[in-house]
Amino acid sequence: MILCFELSMPYAASWNGKWSGADQGHYIFKTSQAASMVKLFSKLDGGSWSYRWDDGWCAMISARVVDAKEARKLRKLNAGFCGYDWMVQDILAFGEIKKR
């Protein structure tokens, strides 16, 4: 099973209200065959989480199960997770993004 996390910045507190990475795909893939992880992936499938900073910026993480063909396609388009992989680690560990 492959779980794909996608990063977006729906509320950008920039001068033009846009995030410079908005036109690129930002993905993290987690793969597992272990029964415990498959159960966790099933629970996270279709979920979304947000994180808001005090300066007005907001990150959105969404998760969905993808097949191997779609994962290969998205990996080719992937621009990285911009250093926000800690959000995915929090989601996997706690079911939410913890405040930093």
Side-chain angles (χ1 to χ4, degrees), residues 5-24:
F5 291 92
E6 182 174 4
L7 169 69
S8 64
M9 296 280 182
Y11 301 104
S14 61
W15 67 273
N16 63 356
K18 297 179 181 179
W19 177 41
S20 61
D23 60 342
Q24 300 170 324

Side-chain angles (χ1 to χ4, degrees), residues 29-42:
F29 301 92
K30 298 293 182 181
T31 305
S32 182
Q33 299 281 335
S36 61
M37 290 302 284
V38 169
K39 185 176 178 182
L40 174 63
F41 287 3
S42 298

Side-chain angles (χ1 to χ4, degrees), residues 22-81:
D23 60 342
Q24 300 170 324
H26 302 277
Y27 310 104
I28 287 181
F29 301 92
K30 298 293 182 181
T31 305
S32 182
Q33 299 281 335
S36 61
M37 290 302 284
V38 169
K39 185 176 178 182
L40 174 63
F41 287 3
S42 298
K43 192 180 344 180
L44 297 177
D45 184 27
S48 64
W49 301 264
S50 63
Y51 184 89
R52 186 175 297 276
W53 289 270
D54 293 336
D55 63 1
W57 282 83
C58 178
M60 179 72 67
I61 308 292
S62 60
R64 62 191 169 105
V65 172
V66 297
D67 60 22
K69 182 179 178 181
E70 186 174 4
R72 275 192 304 276
K73 177 183 166 189
L74 293 174
R75 281 187 175 108
K76 289 179 184 178
L77 302 172
N78 195 4
F81 223 68

